[in-house]
Amino acid sequence: MRHVLSILVENEPGVLSRVAGLFSGRGYNIETLNVGPTLDREVSLMTITTSAPEVVIEQIIKQLRKLVTVIKVVDMNDHMAVEREMMLVKVGAEGEKRAEILRIVDIFRCKVVDVSSDELTIEATGDRGKLEAIIALLQRFGIKEIARTGAVAMKRSMQ
Amino acid sequence: MELSGAQILFECLKREGVDAVFGFPGGAVIDIYDEMPRHPEIKHYLVRHEQGAIHAADGYARATGKVGVCLVTSGPGATNTVTGIANAYMDSIPVVIFTGQVPSPLIGNDAFQEVDIVGITRPCTKHNYLVKDVARLAGVIKEAFYLARTGRPGPVLVDLPKDVIQARTEFKYPRQVRMRSYNPNLTPNAKQVARALEAIHKADRPLFYVGGGVVSSDAHKELTWLAKKLNVPVTATLMGLGSFPGDDPLWLGMLGMHGTYAANRAVQECDLLVAVGARFDDRVTGKLATFAPGAKVIHVDVDPTSIRKNVRVDVPIVADCRETLVALKAQVEAAGGPETLRRKRQQWTETIKAWKIDHPLTYNGADSGEIKPQAVVETIYELTKGEAIITTEVGQNQMWAAQFYNYHKPRTLLTSGGLGTMGYGFPAAIGAQVAFPDTLVIDVAGDGSIQMCIQEMATAMCYNLPVKIVILNNGYLGMVRQWQELFYKKNYCATCMDWAPDFVKLAQAYGAEGYRVTDPAQVRPVLAQAFGNGKPTIVDVVVSREENVYPMVPAGASLHEMLLV
Ligand SMILES: Cc1cc2nc3c(=O)[nH]c(=O)nc-3n(C[C@H](O)[C@H](O)[C@H](O)COP(=O)(O)OP(=O)(O)OC[C@H]3O[C@@H](n4cnc5c(N)ncnc54)[C@H](O)[C@@H]3O)c2cc1C
Ligand SMILES: Cc1ncc(C[n+]2csc(CCOP(=O)(O)OP(=O)(O)O)c2C)c(N)n1
Ligand SMILES: [Mg+2]
């Protein structure tokens, strides 16, 4: 099953390669990986999404906790959580295609962030399902490029 | 007072109680070596190859339980330790490795003798550091020793750029370590301990399966007490040998691929497996699907990743082995003492006894006129009465040393279990001999393995370390040849050692003693002479060439599917 793991790590050089090396060295897969600062300057937050059987997920979490620079690991699947990912999509938008694309942008509450005579760059935010839906709908116009941030997640206040 | 990085290093080592450092100098650590003569409390042992330094530090650590220390230069000095670091990592041995590094401003520049040793050793150290500021040096060293010896022990590497070693700062050794991200849990959950005790009491066919964690946590006394009082037989992994007396009736011998018949049958037929400080390695379990099929499993391990990694566990206890066994003992006593909890389990006892009698460890051809390698190990045991420290190389020699020598005390068998590093035994013996100058230290060696770190003969000579190397010389990379014989239609490709040095002359070339034995009758007298001569010695014992190690569970088979003699 797919799990979203929030990993608080010491903000120091090499910490990303410790975590990434753990996944590659032990043959775990990383679907998405996102790293950013937190309120505490000495701590970074990594969000990793990975898919594996539950026993393997258990090992992944234990192995992560064992890394000396990892402070805390939360499996968001154990909680009510909000999950979001942002992506930029560049689609071909010549002639009458353009209006149709803009309608999709509107329905999904995306934003157009760059325009040229024959292309539109769209910014979309949402959970994975929504982003996949957008991609599926834009496919037929010709997607030229996609850039995705990977998921970030947060526990809901009410659990 | 302001001290240089090099001075700080020595001050820290003293505060950590380090009395021996195994090392090899070079440009990046020359300032450390420049400082060294001013600290005679710390004795430096100059090896002949950095692999020797790390294995010696590892052997020192296994023999003493203290942290072993190794010091090498940047680049090739550092990379030469990698095998030994991985070796210590696999067997959870506490060592701290100091590597020199090019000056910080040059890092990343492909500078002379620069290598990213922190990157290279990330997957085979418990943790590692690149020290970028001399102000952090003392703190890092303190953490390194703390990490190496606590929780699940392991190697920690500290990379020291040359400018950091030269820089000066006020020296203050932190009194304690506080790391928010590292807090191994040592104390067992009392409820889990109670569940474990109840399960042991209820079990009709219980079995202790103990490993390296019992050795490293010094839990052998508690283990022995519990096993005897509660009448539970004991088997151990290769790493656990010595944690239960090898002559006790409850002792079954080692389990696993080359384990005893009784131990492996007992695992397969027990109804409760009490795993203490053992990690269900594939050499131990054989085919996982059929491993201990009828057993409930209690698993005590300080490292949560060991638990449920390979087998399902009914009563997990994440804690230190010793603390857990102490807690178990206390609960036994609280419950009215062992008399109330001890069960006779006559049938189980009888069954095990029969297995032991019907299929003891044995070999054919004792009177064939050839020297049997197993007999050599038996003779070593008889001559030393189990009082020696045995190290091994890797292969058949290692398995015979495990099978035919009775270990009564922990830390008397030093062997490369997880990585299986040929070349480990001799430098490890040097490390052990440094720690225990008056104890007989014997490397049970193979003719192949011994050639991998033979250069350390000079180290043994130089420091008067009277280590004995007993080569079970079969002229083959025997363990691989055995596999080729059994599973590859005797296609002995690249396993015959067609050319070997004259080991007697080799010993003599170093100024050591050398003996060759070809006659079975000479084994005992020559070994006795070697063990008594007070000098580094090689005994080259020419043994039957195509002897195999049995029992053997073929790779992928179930534990009870053993090939026997
Ligand atoms: C040629 C060859 C053949 C081999 N054949 C066999 C064989 O037949 N049988 C066999 O047993 N082995 C054999 N081995 C060795 C095998 O590969 C493993 O190294 C060994 O089985 C592992 O032993 P262990 O489970 O005791 O684990 P170790 O590697 O010693 O690990 C110790 C475990 O205890 C835990 N621990 C450490 N300290 C503590 C503490 N203070 N408190 C609690 N837990 C702690 C650790 O987390 C770890 O899980 C062979 C090796 C070679 C090279
Ligand atoms: C460094 C290293 N290389 C290769 C191996 C694979 N290997 C395992 S046992 C063995 C044979 C060892 O031969 P020898 O030292 O003569 O011991 P024997 O089995 O003959 O007793 C080999 C090559 C290893 N364990 N370590
Ligand atoms: Mg050999």
Side-chain angles (χ1 to χ4, degrees):
Chain A
M1 207 175 114
R2 174 175 177 273
H3 283 242
V4 181
L5 306 177
S6 280
I7 308 159
L8 285 173
V9 296
E10 298 285 355
N11 176 14
E12 59 181 48
V15 63
L16 176 61
S17 78
R18 283 183 206 281
V19 172
L22 173 81
F23 275 78
S24 61
R26 293 187 180 269
Y28 308 143
N29 85 309
I30 295 182
E31 278 165 17
T32 71
L33 165 69
N34 174 288
V35 195
T38 64
L39 288 175
D40 181 345
R41 280 176 43 199
E42 292 179 358
V43 177
S44 304
L45 175 67
M46 286 188 175
T47 310
I48 290 182
T49 60
T50 180
S51 292
E54 293 309 300
V55 279
V56 178
I57 296 285
E58 181 184 327
Q59 256 307 304
I60 293 176
I61 292 170
K62 286 173 168 179
Q63 291 286 357
L64 283 168
R65 290 188 175 135
K66 187 169 156 179
L67 291 178
V68 170
T69 35
V70 168
I71 301 165
K72 192 175 173 190
V73 182
V74 179
D75 182 353
M76 287 299 177
N77 292 38
D78 294 342
H79 304 274
M80 311 251 278
V82 278
E83 181 192 328
R84 289 293 180 272
E85 178 173 356
M86 205 263 269
M87 79 175 168
L88 299 173
V89 194
K90 191 178 281 168
V91 278
E94 310 85 7
E96 65 268 33
K97 276 162 131 187
R98 187 166 290 244
E100 215 175 321
I101 293 171
L102 288 173
R103 248 196 320 277
I104 294 171
V105 165
D106 211 35
I107 293 167
F108 283 96
R109 277 182 278 167
C110 307
K111 263 200 287 192
V112 175
V113 289
D114 188 46
V115 193
S116 74
S117 59
D118 55 354
E119 287 175 348
L120 286 172
T121 300
I122 294 160
E123 172 195 314
T125 308
D127 60 17
R128 197 171 56 138
K130 174 173 164 185
L131 299 193
E132 296 303 332
I134 295 170
I135 291 170
L137 282 170
L138 293 178
Q139 209 89 57
R140 66 191 161 98
F141 305 107
I143 295 178
K144 309 232 163 119
E145 222 180 312
I146 292 188
R148 298 174 65 158
T149 58
V152 291
M154 198 170 274
K155 280 199 252 177
R156 290 185 187 275
S157 302
M158 303 271 284
Q159 281 294 319
Chain B
M1 206 179 59
E2 285 213 331
L3 298 183
S4 71
Q7 288 169 322
I8 289 173
L9 170 62
F10 284 101
E11 291 309 320
C12 294
L13 292 182
K14 282 182 224 170
R15 280 162 182 75
E16 290 297 332
V18 174
D19 55 11
V21 171
F22 301 90
F24 203 89
V29 287
I30 196 162
D31 293 271
I32 297 175
Y33 279 89
D34 190 49
E35 179 63 24
M36 191 174 278
R38 282 185 279 281
H39 306 273
E41 311 90 303
I42 296 173
K43 181 143 190 201
H44 179 262
Y45 294 86
L46 176 66
V47 295
R48 296 301 184 268
H49 185 301
E50 287 88 351
Q51 186 177 355
I54 177 73
H55 287 330
D58 169 314
Y60 176 96
R62 290 189 209 225
T64 59
K66 288 167 43 178
V67 179
V69 179
C70 158
L71 167 65
V72 298
T73 192
S74 67
T79 51
N80 271 349
T81 64
V82 172
T83 298
I85 295 173
N87 185 71
Y89 183 70
M90 288 295 274
D91 288 345
S92 306
I93 305 304
V95 282
V96 172
I97 305 97
F98 294 100
T99 49
Q101 183 53 281
V102 302
S104 349
L106 289 184
I107 291 178
N109 259 314
D110 303 319
F112 176 63
Q113 295 196 325
E114 179 187 359
V115 76
D116 175 13
I117 196 65
V118 166
I120 289 173
T121 59
R122 212 168 264 140
C124 61
T125 50
K126 180 166 172 183
H127 195 53
N128 59 18
Y129 297 89
L130 169 63
V131 184
K132 287 198 172 147
D133 177 359
V134 69
R136 269 287 283 150
L137 181 57
V140 164
I141 296 176
K142 177 93 190 174
E143 280 182 19
F145 277 85
Y146 174 70
L147 286 171
R149 73 169 167 258
T150 56
R152 179 174 185 167
V156 179
L157 182 139
V158 181
D159 201 20
L160 302 167
K162 186 162 177 162
D163 56 319
V164 172
I165 298 170
Q166 292 170 334
R168 302 181 75 82
T169 191
E170 201 64 37
F171 172 63
K172 228 182 107 224
Y173 203 52
R175 242 184 292 138
Q176 5 166 307
V177 180
R178 247 181 293 121
M179 299 172 77
R180 60 178 154 188
S181 53
Y182 176 77
N183 272 308
N185 185 48
L186 303 179
T187 315
N189 177 311
K191 266 197 210 136
Q192 292 294 83
V193 174
R195 279 181 64 200
L197 185 58
E198 193 196 337
I200 296 174
H201 180 56
K202 277 197 185 147
D204 295 324
R205 299 182 308 281
L207 176 66
F208 268 119
Y209 147 51
V210 305
V214 172
V215 175
S216 70
S217 68
D218 285 323
H220 56 286
K221 286 211 185 79
E222 288 73 16
L223 170 72
T224 308
W225 190 92
L226 283 163
K228 288 190 181 184
K229 295 290 180 188
L230 301 179
N231 190 28
V232 178
V234 182
T235 179
T237 65
L238 180 67
M239 303 305 295
L241 293 178
S243 48
F244 190 79
D247 50 3
D248 194 281
L250 287 168
W251 174 241
L252 299 181
M254 182 171 83
L255 80 166
M257 180 175 274
H258 294 297
T260 64
Y261 182 84
N264 286 344
R265 285 296 302 271
V267 170
Q268 293 303 78
E269 310 215 351
C270 68
D271 64 352
L272 178 72
L273 191 63
V274 190
V276 189
R279 58 183 173 81
F280 295 88
D281 183 79
D282 49 81
R283 292 272 131 144
V284 162
T285 59
K287 190 172 165 190
L288 269 174
T290 53
F291 174 74
K296 249 181 112 162
V297 177
I298 299 172
H299 192 181
V300 183
D301 203 295
V302 74
D303 181 354
T305 67
S306 288
I307 290 174
R308 257 187 312 215
K309 182 166 70 177
N310 300 332
V311 300
R312 63 196 160 69
V313 175
D314 301 284
V315 186
I317 301 181
V318 178
D320 177 64
C321 292
R322 205 178 88 83
E323 290 203 20
T324 306
L325 296 185
V326 166
L328 259 173
K329 186 176 171 203
Q331 290 201 7
V332 169
E333 278 163 347
E339 298 71 31
T340 21
L341 291 176
R342 183 188 174 88
R343 290 185 44 203
K344 252 183 118 187
R345 304 189 179 99
Q346 189 139 4
Q347 215 183 343
W348 184 227
T349 313
E350 295 289 315
T351 309
I352 285 175
K353 204 168 151 192
W355 285 332
K356 284 210 243 180
I357 292 171
D358 294 346
H359 300 283
L361 283 170
T362 186
Y363 50 93
N364 293 325
D367 46 10
S368 60
E370 291 189 326
I371 301 177
K372 290 286 154 179
Q374 301 93 331
V376 178
V377 176
E378 284 176 332
T379 308
I380 296 175
Y381 176 68
E382 286 158 21
L383 289 170
T384 60
K385 302 185 180 64
E387 292 299 318
I389 294 176
I390 303 293
T391 73
T392 78
E393 299 296 337
V394 168
Q396 296 182 314
N397 59 86
Q398 176 183 33
M399 291 298 105
W400 289 319
Q403 293 176 330
F404 290 91
Y405 189 102
N406 278 337
Y407 299 90
H408 304 303
K409 293 186 287 190
R411 306 192 181 284
T412 53
L413 171 64
L414 320 182
T415 190
S416 169
L419 200 66
T421 313
M422 292 171 67
Y424 169 78
F426 179 37
I430 288 178
Q433 190 79 78
V434 162
F436 297 104
D438 301 325
T439 303
L440 186 57
V441 181
I442 304 166
D443 175 26
V444 175
D447 50 309
S449 303
I450 195 58
Q451 295 185 59
M452 286 207 174
C453 277
I454 192 67
Q455 75 287 343
E456 301 308 328
M457 282 303 289
T459 312
M461 288 306 294
C462 180
Y463 299 100
N464 288 320
L465 301 166
V467 169
K468 315 298 172 189
I469 299 172
V470 180
I471 302 175
L472 305 179
N473 191 342
N474 51 14
Y476 277 114
L477 298 172
M479 184 54 95
V480 183
R481 186 209 55 77
Q482 174 171 344
W483 282 57
Q484 290 172 328
E485 175 188 332
L486 298 175
F487 313 115
Y488 292 86
K489 303 192 182 109
K490 291 204 177 187
N491 180 12
Y492 292 168
C493 178
T495 42
C496 183
M497 299 299 257
D498 284 326
W499 184 257
D502 179 331
F503 288 110
V504 175
K505 285 197 188 135
L506 185 86
Q508 287 162 353
Y510 279 103
E513 298 285 310
Y515 311 102
R516 176 171 300 108
V517 194
T518 50
D519 172 4
Q522 286 302 305
V523 171
R524 180 180 295 265
V526 173
L527 285 178
Q529 187 187 352
F531 296 168
N533 68 11
K535 283 200 187 155
T537 303
I538 295 180
V539 187
D540 181 18
V541 189
V542 180
V543 298
S544 16
R545 296 203 64 194
E546 301 200 5
E547 193 66 22
N548 287 339
V549 179
Y550 292 117
M552 177 173 196
V553 180
S558 306
L559 264 195
H560 56 273
E561 296 166 344
M562 287 167 267
L563 309 177
L564 300 170
V565 175

